Amino acid sequence: MFSLRKALFVVLALAGNSAAFTNPGNAKVLSNLSKPSELAAFGRKAKVAKVVEPEIDESVTMFDPIAEPVGDVAVLALRLATCALLVHHGFDKIQNVDGFSANVVAKFFGFLPGPPSFWTLSAAATQIAGAGLLTVGILARPVAFSMMCTMLVAVIFHLLNTGAEGFPLAVVPQHSYNYELAAMYVGVLAYFAAAGAGAYSVDEIVLGGELKLYESGFKKVFGGEEE
C-alpha cells in the first residue's frame, strides 16, 4: 500500500512538471520573468545597452594627408623664390648709392630726415639681410614686414613718377605697370608677415614656433611667467 501511494505521487509530480512546459499560461509566466522589471525583483538591475555611433568629421577629406605637406612645400618654394629674386634689389642700391639717393630718395621723399644716402643704405640692408633671414625662416614675420615696407615705398615711388598708368585695364607699351613687380612683392611679403615662414623654417623646426618665441620673450620682459 505504501509503495502504491508512493508511485502515484511520482506520477502526479511528473504530470505537473510536463504541464509547466506545455501550458501557454506557464510559458507566459516564464516569458514575463525575462523582463527587466521581474529580474529586478530578484535583486538584478536591468542594463540597457547603448549603441554609440562614431563621430565623423565631415570637414576631413581623403586628400588632407596629401594636401598639407604639398602646401608646406609650396610655401617653402614661394619663400625661397621671393628671397632669391628680391636680394638683388639691395645689391643694386649699394652699387649705386648716389644715383638712388638723388633720383629717388631726395626727389620723391625729400621730407625724410637725415641724408638721402642713409635711407638708401637702410633699404639695401633690409633687403639683403632680410632675404637671408627669410630664406631660412628666422623671425619671419618682422623680417617680412620690414621688407614689405621697402617694396611699398617702391610702389609709392612708381605711382608718384608715372601714375596709375590706366590700372587695371590699360595696355601699356612696356607690357607691365612700372609698379607691378613691386606691388606683387608687397602682396607676397604681406603673406609671410601675417602667416610666418611655414613648416620648413628655423622658426618652426629649431625655435619651436615663432609666435611661442615672442610670447616667451614678452612674458620674461613684462613678468607674465606662470608660477
Side-chain angles (χ1 to χ4, degrees):
M1 184 62 125
F2 175 76
S3 59
L4 181 61
R5 292 175 62 186
K6 186 176 181 180
L8 181 61
F9 179 77
V10 171
V11 171
L12 291 175
L14 291 174
N17 289 337
S18 62
F21 292 97
T22 58
N23 189 348
N26 292 332
K28 185 176 181 181
V29 171
L30 291 175
S31 175
N32 290 337
L33 286 177
S34 64
K35 295 182 180 180
S37 60
E38 275 69 22
L39 291 175
F42 290 96
R44 293 183 181 181
K45 187 176 182 180
K47 294 183 179 180
V48 180
K50 294 183 178 180
V51 179
V52 180
E53 297 183 358
E55 295 183 1
I56 300 175
D57 189 355
E58 297 181 355
S59 64
V60 178
T61 68
M62 61 182 290
F63 302 105
D64 287 352
I66 301 174
E68 185 173 351
V70 169
D72 292 336
V73 172
V75 171
L76 174 64
L78 178 63
R79 195 178 82 230
L80 297 178
T82 300
C83 294
L85 294 171
L86 182 60
V87 68
H88 84 90
H89 290 278
F91 291 135
D92 179 64
K93 293 177 178 65
I94 291 178
Q95 293 179 359
N96 190 22
V97 175
D98 293 337
F100 191 87
S101 298
N103 297 319
V104 177
V105 180
K107 184 176 182 181
F108 294 95
F109 304 96
F111 57 89
L112 294 174
S117 59
F118 167 79
W119 297 102
T120 298
L121 293 173
S122 296
T126 300
Q127 292 171 344
I128 295 172
L133 292 172
L134 188 58
T135 295
V136 296
I138 299 178
L139 305 178
R141 287 177 171 84
V143 168
F145 179 77
S146 62
M147 296 169 69
M148 182 196 73
C149 289
T150 65
M151 300 313 297
L152 183 60
V153 172
V155 172
I156 296 173
F157 158 71
H158 286 297
L159 289 174
L160 292 174
N161 189 35
T162 58
E165 302 176 75
F167 175 84
L169 301 177
V171 178
V172 291
Q174 67 273 22
H175 307 294
S176 64
Y177 304 117
N178 288 320
Y179 53 85
E180 186 173 311
L181 179 60
M184 293 180 68
Y185 276 125
V186 169
V188 174
L189 292 169
Y191 166 78
F192 288 114
Y200 301 117
S201 63
V202 173
D203 283 337
E204 297 298 324
I205 297 175
V206 178
L207 301 179
E210 184 185 1
L211 295 180
K212 290 183 179 178
L213 178 65
Y214 300 152
E215 181 184 29
S216 176
F218 180 86
K219 288 181 178 179
K220 288 180 180 179
V221 172
F222 295 99
E225 289 282 3
E226 295 183 0
E227 297 182 357

